Amino acid sequence: MHDKQPYQVGLTGGIGSGKSTVARVFQILDVPVYESDEAAKLVYFFPEVRELVIGLLGPEAYLSKTELNSKWIGNTVYSDPGLLKCLNEIIHPEVGEHYHHWLSLQTNPYVVKVAALIFEANIYKNMDFNVLVTAPLDLKIERVLKRDPLRDREQLEKIINSQLSDDEKKKLSDSIIQNDDSISIISQVLELHKVILTKCS
C-alpha cells in the first residue's frame, strides 16, 4: 500500500466503440490499465460468485470449471433487464474489490480503469476524471461483427439499448475521444495524457 493513491481515470464507451484500442495506447505510454471485463471473467470463477450465478441463471452459465458460457449468458440477461440487474449486483462489487486491491499496488501518477458500465453502475463518481470513446452506431456494430462473426446484430442492439446513449454519457464525461476513423486515436490520447499528467501532478 502506497501513501498517495494514483489519480483515477475512468475509460468507457459502448460495445465496438474502440475503448480497448484507446486503452492499448495508454499502455504503450506506460500507464497501468485495469480491464474490468477481464477481471469480471476471473470473478465468475470465485467459488461464492459461481454459486450465486448458478443460483440466478442455472448451471448452463458455465461450460466447464474453467470456461464461461458467455454467449448464452449474454442472450439470457440482455433479454431480461431484471435478470441483468441481478447479475450485475453479483459481479460488480467483486470486481470493485479486485480493482481496489490492484490500485493499492500501483505507483504511477495515474491509472486507467476500463469499464463498459462506468456511468450505468455509478463507477464514474469514484473516478477523478472520466473519458468517453464514441463512434457511430453502424461502425460499432460493423467492428464487433468483424472481430466476432458468431455474434448477431440483434444481440448487439439489445446490449446497446441496455446502456445509456452516447449523448447521455457525454454529459457525464470530462473528455471525449472520437473513434470514427476521421481523427487519429494516438494523437487524441497523447493530448489527453498531457492534460491528465497536469491534473495529477
Side-chain angles (χ1 to χ4, degrees), residues 144-161:
V144 178
L145 293 177
K146 192 174 178 181
R147 73 177 183 229
D148 187 357
L150 296 176
R151 292 259 200 184
D152 59 74
R153 190 181 180 99
E154 187 184 349
Q155 189 200 30
L156 291 177
E157 286 176 352
K158 280 180 184 173
I159 293 171
I160 289 162
N161 291 335

Side-chain angles (χ1 to χ4, degrees), residues 183-196:
I183 309 173
S184 157
I185 285 286
I186 293 172
S187 63
Q188 290 181 80
V189 175
L190 285 172
E191 194 56 44
L192 189 53
H193 180 58
K194 289 180 201 166
V195 170
I196 296 167

Side-chain angles (χ1 to χ4, degrees), residues 93-148:
E94 294 287 344
V95 173
E97 278 187 38
H98 187 272
Y99 167 72
H100 283 293
H101 174 68
W102 175 87
L103 182 65
S104 73
L105 304 174
Q106 305 308 314
T107 55
N108 206 61
Y110 80 92
V111 300
V112 171
K113 180 179 187 178
V114 185
L117 302 178
I118 271 182
F119 297 118
E120 292 84 347
N122 286 324
I123 298 164
Y124 76 100
K125 292 177 180 174
N126 300 319
M127 298 289 110
D128 298 301
F129 192 87
N130 290 286
V131 180
L132 172 67
V133 184
T134 66
L137 178 61
D138 284 343
L139 185 55
K140 288 180 188 175
I141 290 174
E142 183 188 316
R143 283 173 182 157
V144 178
L145 293 177
K146 192 174 178 181
R147 73 177 183 229
D148 187 357

